[in-house]
Amino acid sequence: MTFAPGRLIMHRNVRHGRIGWVRAGRVVSDDERGLLIFVARDSPVAYEVTEAGLGMRAMPFAEWVTSSYRLARGSWNGPSVLKFLPVGAAHSVWWFSDADGRFTNWYVNLEEPGVRWDDGAVAGVDMVDQDLDVVIRPDRSWEWKDEEEFAERLALPDDYWVADEAAVRAEGLRVIARAEAGEFPFDGTWCDFTPPPGWEVPEKLPDGWDRPPVR
């Protein structure tokens, strides 16, 4: 399926069949290269927390996996972000900007390839975030991000959703090599992106945002 430009869709992270987080974004383009989504500041989001309202990063992973969960709603409180999901790739690339909209860095989110769904009134892409990430600066220097969290969770294989550490790192290294070479999408493409006029930020997530995951 293909999503039309301007359509509001849900970008969802799934953990063991549960929704981990949801971000509402508008489709910039959807073609043979992949899906490009714009998540504006203050866009509605949801994220998994414990019954006490704590997020996964607020406690040891061993404690998190024994907790009860609910989905809390909120808004995207950082600067607007552009997300590119290449066709069939085990990663997405995000463009971060400062408060004035100036490009600051790329962020490689290592994840299982997304699975699309379309219920008519609401649609989206579900993926499994593999937690390890890569930050790539404008000069194309880079660093791994969240290595400690990745290692902590890998130590509990029966509870973690990542089964193959080597595959995740290998995907990261492949993307790093393209970035160092200045290849697409690290060639300046979309670094000056601004959303079209009239793209309003919805006040809340649409009905159906929490439909059962497709993966």
Side-chain angles (χ1 to χ4, degrees):
M1 65 185 70
T2 301
F3 298 135
R7 185 175 186 182
L8 185 73
I9 65 171
M10 307 296 105
H11 188 209
R12 308 196 308 179
N13 173 33
V14 177
R15 304 167 181 150
H16 286 321
R18 300 194 319 267
I19 297 172
W21 51 251
V22 183
R23 295 165 187 166
R26 293 199 181 275
V27 175
V28 178
S29 62
D30 189 10
D31 54 29
E32 67 281 355
R33 296 185 299 184
L35 174 64
L36 188 64
I37 307 169
F38 177 68
V39 179
R41 186 181 183 90
D42 297 324
S43 291
V45 301
Y47 47 93
E48 194 174 52
V49 296
T50 65
E51 289 299 331
L54 299 175
M56 187 166 62
R57 287 180 163 173
M59 63 186 68
F61 187 62
E63 182 179 343
W64 170 264
V65 298
T66 63
S67 301
S68 298
Y69 314 98
R70 60 183 174 87
L71 285 167
R73 301 199 202 190
S75 59
W76 182 255
N77 57 13
S80 300
V81 60
L82 199 60
K83 298 183 175 186
F84 177 56
L85 286 63
V87 173
H91 71 274
S92 59
V93 181
W94 305 359
W95 282 250
F96 278 102
S97 302
D98 62 19
D100 296 320
R102 293 182 296 251
F103 172 71
T104 57
N105 65 273
W106 294 281
Y107 185 95
V108 178
N109 198 68
L110 297 169
E111 60 193 49
E112 293 184 18
V115 179
R116 302 180 182 212
W117 51 272
D118 190 342
D119 295 337
V122 63
V125 180
D126 289 359
M127 58 83 179
V128 179
D129 194 333
Q130 296 170 318
D131 299 325
L132 185 65
D133 307 300
V134 186
V135 175
I136 300 176
R137 305 176 188 90
D139 65 1
R140 296 178 180 81
S141 61
W142 59 272
E143 63 180 329
W144 294 107
K145 184 177 180 294
D146 298 330
E147 284 192 285
E148 292 183 1
E149 290 181 0
F150 190 52
E152 178 193 19
R153 296 167 190 176
L154 284 166
L156 295 173
D158 292 339
D159 298 301
Y160 196 26
W161 41 88
V162 175
D164 191 339
E165 175 187 4
V168 175
R169 288 191 178 275
E171 179 73 6
L173 290 171
R174 282 191 290 271
V175 181
I176 288 166
R178 291 206 298 274
E180 290 180 327
E183 298 176 2
F184 174 82
F186 305 100
D187 56 356
T189 300
W190 300 318
C191 287
D192 58 354
F193 173 82
T194 56
W199 275 17
E200 297 180 354
V201 178
E203 294 183 359
K204 63 179 183 178
L205 293 168
D207 292 342
W209 65 270
D210 56 350
R211 59 100 79 196
V214 297
R215 49 180 326 136

